[in-house]
Amino acid sequence: MIIRSEAASDIQAIAEVTIAAFENLEVSNQTEQFIIETLRAAEMLTISLVAEIDERVVGHIAFSPVTISDGSRDWYGIGPFSVLPEYQRQSIGTTLMQHGLSLLREMGGQGCCLVGDPGYYKRFGFKNIPKLILDGVPQEVFLALPLHNIIPQGFVVFHEGFMSVGEQDVAPTSD
Ligand SMILES: CC(C)(COP(=O)(O)OP(=O)(O)OC[C@H]1O[C@@H](n2cnc3c(N)ncnc32)[C@H](O)[C@@H]1OP(=O)(O)O)[C@@H](O)C(=O)NCCC(=O)NCCS
Protein backbone atom coordinates (compact mmCIF):
# COMPACT_ATOMS: atom_id res chain seq x y z
CA MET A 1 0.00 0.00 0.00
CA ILE A 2 1.18 3.51 -0.84
CA ILE A 3 0.10 6.57 1.14
CA ARG A 4 0.62 9.82 -0.75
CA SER A 5 -0.83 13.28 -1.23
CA GLU A 6 -3.66 13.58 -3.71
CA ALA A 7 -2.85 14.37 -7.31
CA ALA A 8 -5.18 16.01 -9.80
CA SER A 9 -5.74 12.61 -11.38
CA ASP A 10 -7.13 11.26 -8.05
CA ILE A 11 -10.03 13.67 -7.75
CA GLN A 12 -12.65 11.40 -9.29
CA ALA A 13 -11.40 8.34 -7.41
CA ILE A 14 -11.48 10.23 -4.10
CA ALA A 15 -15.10 11.19 -4.73
CA GLU A 16 -15.95 7.58 -5.54
CA VAL A 17 -14.24 6.22 -2.42
CA THR A 18 -16.04 8.80 -0.31
CA ILE A 19 -19.44 8.04 -1.84
CA ALA A 20 -18.96 4.30 -1.36
CA ALA A 21 -17.75 4.61 2.24
CA PHE A 22 -20.71 6.75 3.33
CA GLU A 23 -23.35 5.15 1.15
CA ASN A 24 -24.94 3.02 3.85
CA LEU A 25 -24.25 5.16 6.90
CA GLU A 26 -27.44 6.29 8.57
CA VAL A 27 -25.85 9.39 10.08
CA SER A 28 -24.67 10.55 6.68
CA ASN A 29 -26.68 12.46 4.13
CA GLN A 30 -24.31 11.25 1.44
CA THR A 31 -22.86 14.64 0.60
CA GLU A 32 -19.36 14.17 2.01
CA GLN A 33 -17.81 14.21 -1.47
CA PHE A 34 -19.03 17.80 -1.86
CA ILE A 35 -17.25 18.83 1.34
CA ILE A 36 -13.98 17.69 -0.20
CA GLU A 37 -14.72 19.57 -3.43
CA THR A 38 -15.57 22.74 -1.53
CA LEU A 39 -12.46 22.52 0.62
CA ARG A 40 -10.30 21.91 -2.44
CA ALA A 41 -11.83 24.84 -4.35
CA ALA A 42 -11.28 27.09 -1.32
CA GLU A 43 -7.67 25.87 -1.03
CA MET A 44 -8.46 24.66 2.46
CA LEU A 45 -7.57 21.05 1.85
CA THR A 46 -4.38 21.38 3.85
CA ILE A 47 -3.72 17.65 3.89
CA SER A 48 -5.41 15.29 1.47
CA LEU A 49 -3.91 11.80 1.49
CA VAL A 50 -4.87 8.79 -0.52
CA ALA A 51 -4.17 5.12 0.15
CA GLU A 52 -3.38 3.29 -3.06
CA ILE A 53 -3.26 -0.46 -3.62
CA ASP A 54 -2.40 -1.88 -7.04
CA GLU A 55 -2.75 1.62 -8.51
CA ARG A 56 -6.29 1.95 -7.14
CA VAL A 57 -7.31 4.61 -4.63
CA VAL A 58 -8.95 2.70 -1.77
CA GLY A 59 -8.88 5.29 1.02
CA HIS A 60 -8.72 9.01 1.67
CA ILE A 61 -8.36 11.43 4.59
CA ALA A 62 -8.72 15.21 4.64
CA PHE A 63 -7.46 17.83 7.10
CA SER A 64 -8.62 21.45 6.91
CA PRO A 65 -8.10 24.48 9.16
CA VAL A 66 -10.54 25.23 11.97
CA THR A 67 -10.87 28.32 14.08
CA ILE A 68 -11.10 28.29 17.88
CA SER A 69 -12.67 31.17 19.78
CA ASP A 70 -9.74 31.43 22.22
CA GLY A 71 -7.51 32.41 19.28
CA SER A 72 -5.55 29.14 19.20
CA ARG A 73 -3.82 28.89 15.84
CA ASP A 74 -2.83 26.03 13.55
CA TRP A 75 -5.61 23.68 14.55
CA TYR A 76 -7.19 21.41 11.97
CA GLY A 77 -10.38 19.44 11.53
CA ILE A 78 -10.30 15.91 10.17
CA GLY A 79 -12.81 14.59 7.68
CA PRO A 80 -14.13 13.25 5.49
CA PHE A 81 -12.23 10.03 6.20
CA SER A 82 -13.07 7.05 4.01
CA VAL A 83 -11.99 3.57 3.09
CA LEU A 84 -13.78 1.55 0.40
CA PRO A 85 -16.14 -0.89 2.17
CA GLU A 86 -14.41 -3.98 0.81
CA TYR A 87 -11.08 -2.69 2.14
CA GLN A 88 -12.26 -1.64 5.60
CA ARG A 89 -10.94 -3.19 8.82
CA GLN A 90 -7.58 -3.95 7.25
CA SER A 91 -5.77 -1.07 9.00
CA ILE A 92 -5.83 1.21 5.94
CA GLY A 93 -7.69 3.88 7.92
CA THR A 94 -5.22 3.60 10.77
CA THR A 95 -2.29 4.02 8.38
CA LEU A 96 -3.89 7.02 6.67
CA MET A 97 -4.57 8.68 10.01
CA GLN A 98 -1.03 8.06 11.27
CA HIS A 99 0.49 9.55 8.11
CA GLY A 100 -1.84 12.54 8.30
CA LEU A 101 -0.93 13.18 11.93
CA SER A 102 2.78 12.98 11.28
CA LEU A 103 2.47 15.39 8.33
CA LEU A 104 0.54 17.76 10.55
CA ARG A 105 3.32 17.60 13.15
CA GLU A 106 5.95 18.33 10.50
CA MET A 107 3.92 21.33 9.33
CA GLY A 108 3.87 22.76 12.83
CA GLY A 109 0.21 22.00 13.46
CA GLN A 110 -0.84 22.53 17.06
CA GLY A 111 -3.59 19.97 17.06
CA CYS A 112 -6.61 18.51 15.35
CA CYS A 113 -10.16 17.54 16.11
CA LEU A 114 -13.00 15.47 14.74
CA VAL A 115 -16.41 14.08 15.50
CA GLY A 116 -16.35 10.35 15.96
CA ASP A 117 -16.49 7.22 18.04
CA PRO A 118 -14.09 7.55 20.98
CA GLY A 119 -13.66 3.76 20.93
CA TYR A 120 -11.98 4.01 17.54
CA TYR A 121 -10.14 7.31 17.74
CA LYS A 122 -8.61 6.86 21.20
CA ARG A 123 -5.98 4.61 19.58
CA PHE A 124 -4.52 7.75 17.99
CA GLY A 125 -4.70 9.73 21.23
CA PHE A 126 -7.92 11.63 20.55
CA LYS A 127 -10.06 12.42 23.57
CA ASN A 128 -12.78 14.78 24.62
CA ILE A 129 -11.56 18.11 25.95
CA PRO A 130 -14.30 19.37 28.26
CA LYS A 131 -13.96 23.06 27.43
CA LEU A 132 -13.55 22.61 23.69
CA ILE A 133 -16.95 22.77 22.09
CA LEU A 134 -18.39 22.14 18.64
CA ASP A 135 -21.80 23.72 18.66
CA GLY A 136 -24.61 21.24 18.16
CA VAL A 137 -22.46 18.14 18.61
CA PRO A 138 -22.64 15.99 21.76
CA GLN A 139 -19.54 16.57 23.82
CA GLU A 140 -18.64 12.88 24.12
CA VAL A 141 -18.14 12.48 20.37
CA PHE A 142 -16.19 15.68 19.79
CA LEU A 143 -12.59 14.60 20.12
CA ALA A 144 -9.31 16.47 19.94
CA LEU A 145 -5.62 15.72 19.82
CA PRO A 146 -3.31 18.54 20.99
CA LEU A 147 0.14 17.96 19.50
CA HIS A 148 2.11 20.17 21.90
CA ASN A 149 0.42 19.92 25.29
CA ILE A 150 -1.30 23.24 24.82
CA ILE A 151 -4.96 22.61 25.52
CA PRO A 152 -7.34 25.03 23.80
CA GLN A 153 -10.74 25.97 25.09
CA GLY A 154 -13.67 27.60 23.39
CA PHE A 155 -15.86 27.13 20.37
CA VAL A 156 -14.49 25.38 17.32
CA VAL A 157 -15.70 26.28 13.83
CA PHE A 158 -15.00 24.05 10.85
CA HIS A 159 -14.68 25.48 7.34
CA GLU A 160 -18.00 26.56 5.86
CA GLY A 161 -17.72 23.73 3.35
CA PHE A 162 -18.96 21.45 6.12
CA MET A 163 -21.89 23.62 7.08
CA SER A 164 -23.66 23.74 3.75
CA VAL A 165 -24.26 20.02 3.83
CA GLY A 166 -25.36 19.44 7.40
CA GLU A 167 -23.78 19.33 10.77
CA GLN A 168 -23.65 15.55 11.01
CA ASP A 169 -21.05 15.55 8.27
CA VAL A 170 -18.55 17.56 10.21
CA ALA A 171 -16.39 14.51 10.63
CA PRO A 172 -16.17 10.86 11.44
CA THR A 173 -18.94 8.95 13.05
CA SER A 174 -19.22 5.49 14.44
CA ASP A 175 -20.65 2.77 12.26
C1 LIG B 1 -13.71 4.89 9.56
C2 LIG B 1 -12.88 4.24 8.45
C3 LIG B 1 -12.24 5.29 7.57
C4 LIG B 1 -11.79 3.42 9.14
O1 LIG B 1 -11.02 2.80 8.14
P1 LIG B 1 -10.60 1.27 8.27
O2 LIG B 1 -9.56 1.01 7.26
O3 LIG B 1 -11.83 0.43 8.23
O4 LIG B 1 -10.00 1.27 9.74
P2 LIG B 1 -8.96 0.27 10.34
O5 LIG B 1 -8.97 -1.03 9.61
O6 LIG B 1 -7.65 0.96 10.44
O7 LIG B 1 -9.56 0.10 11.75
C5 LIG B 1 -8.89 -0.60 12.65
C6 LIG B 1 -9.78 -0.96 13.78
O8 LIG B 1 -10.81 -0.04 14.08
C7 LIG B 1 -12.07 -0.67 14.10
N1 LIG B 1 -12.99 0.30 13.52
C8 LIG B 1 -13.01 0.73 12.27
N2 LIG B 1 -13.97 1.67 12.13
C9 LIG B 1 -14.55 1.82 13.36
C10 LIG B 1 -15.59 2.62 13.86
N3 LIG B 1 -16.24 3.48 13.09
N4 LIG B 1 -15.92 2.52 15.17
C11 LIG B 1 -15.27 1.65 15.96
N5 LIG B 1 -14.27 0.87 15.53
C12 LIG B 1 -13.92 0.94 14.24
C13 LIG B 1 -11.90 -1.90 13.30
O9 LIG B 1 -12.77 -2.92 13.74
C14 LIG B 1 -10.49 -2.25 13.61
O10 LIG B 1 -10.44 -2.83 14.86
P3 LIG B 1 -9.47 -4.05 15.11
O11 LIG B 1 -8.12 -3.57 14.69
O12 LIG B 1 -9.62 -4.26 16.57
O13 LIG B 1 -10.05 -5.11 14.23
C15 LIG B 1 -13.73 3.30 7.58
O14 LIG B 1 -14.26 2.29 8.39
C16 LIG B 1 -14.83 4.00 6.81
O15 LIG B 1 -14.63 4.47 5.69
N6 LIG B 1 -16.04 4.05 7.40
C17 LIG B 1 -17.20 4.64 6.73
C18 LIG B 1 -17.09 6.14 6.65
C19 LIG B 1 -16.86 6.77 8.00
O16 LIG B 1 -17.53 6.49 8.97
N7 LIG B 1 -15.83 7.63 8.00
C20 LIG B 1 -15.50 8.38 9.14
C21 LIG B 1 -16.41 9.56 9.17
S1 LIG B 1 -15.74 10.96 8.28
Side-chain angles (χ1 to χ4, degrees):
M1 179 170 62
I2 297 168
I3 306 286
R4 57 173 177 77
S5 291
E6 73 164 41
S9 55
D10 298 318
I11 289 174
Q12 183 62 28
I14 290 170
E16 287 168 10
V17 166
T18 306
I19 291 167
F22 284 92
E23 199 170 18
N24 296 315
L25 281 195
E26 247 177 62
V27 289
S28 161
N29 57 8
Q30 282 79 42
T31 52
E32 288 76 8
Q33 68 275 21
F34 303 126
I35 299 176
I36 301 170
E37 283 175 18
T38 307
L39 292 171
R40 191 183 287 117
E43 298 186 356
M44 291 291 164
L45 210 44
T46 311
I47 295 176
S48 178
L49 295 178
V50 296
E52 187 184 82
I53 295 178
D54 296 335
E55 297 182 11
R56 181 182 184 198
V57 172
V58 298
H60 175 254
I61 191 167
F63 290 63
S64 58
V66 296
T67 58
I68 305 182
S69 59
D70 68 359
S72 295
R73 295 176 64 93
D74 300 317
W75 270 74
Y76 293 84
I78 297 178
F81 177 31
S82 309
V83 171
L84 280 178
E86 62 269 34
Y87 286 87
Q88 287 177 12
R89 310 214 156 193
Q90 297 172 33
S91 299
I92 296 169
T94 298
T95 309
L96 272 170
M97 178 67 81
Q98 286 168 342
H99 274 71
L101 293 175
S102 68
L103 265 182
L104 197 63
R105 277 196 185 88
E106 283 169 23
M107 288 169 41
Q110 294 299 308
C112 52
C113 54
L114 52 78
V115 178
D117 180 348
Y120 179 56
Y121 291 102
K122 71 180 180 195
R123 70 189 64 200
F124 307 107
F126 286 91
K127 57 185 176 195
N128 176 253
I129 294 178
K131 290 186 178 163
L132 194 63
I133 293 157
L134 184 62
D135 206 16
V137 171
Q139 197 59 6
E140 63 273 17
V141 294
F142 184 49
L143 311 173
L145 177 62
L147 296 176
H148 298 287
N149 284 330
I150 302 166
I151 313 295
Q153 57 180 48
F155 290 91
V156 177
V157 177
F158 277 64
H159 185 268
E160 62 188 17
F162 288 90
M163 308 314 162
S164 56
V165 288
E167 207 141 41
Q168 68 269 46
D169 295 312
V170 156
T173 52
S174 58
D175 57 6

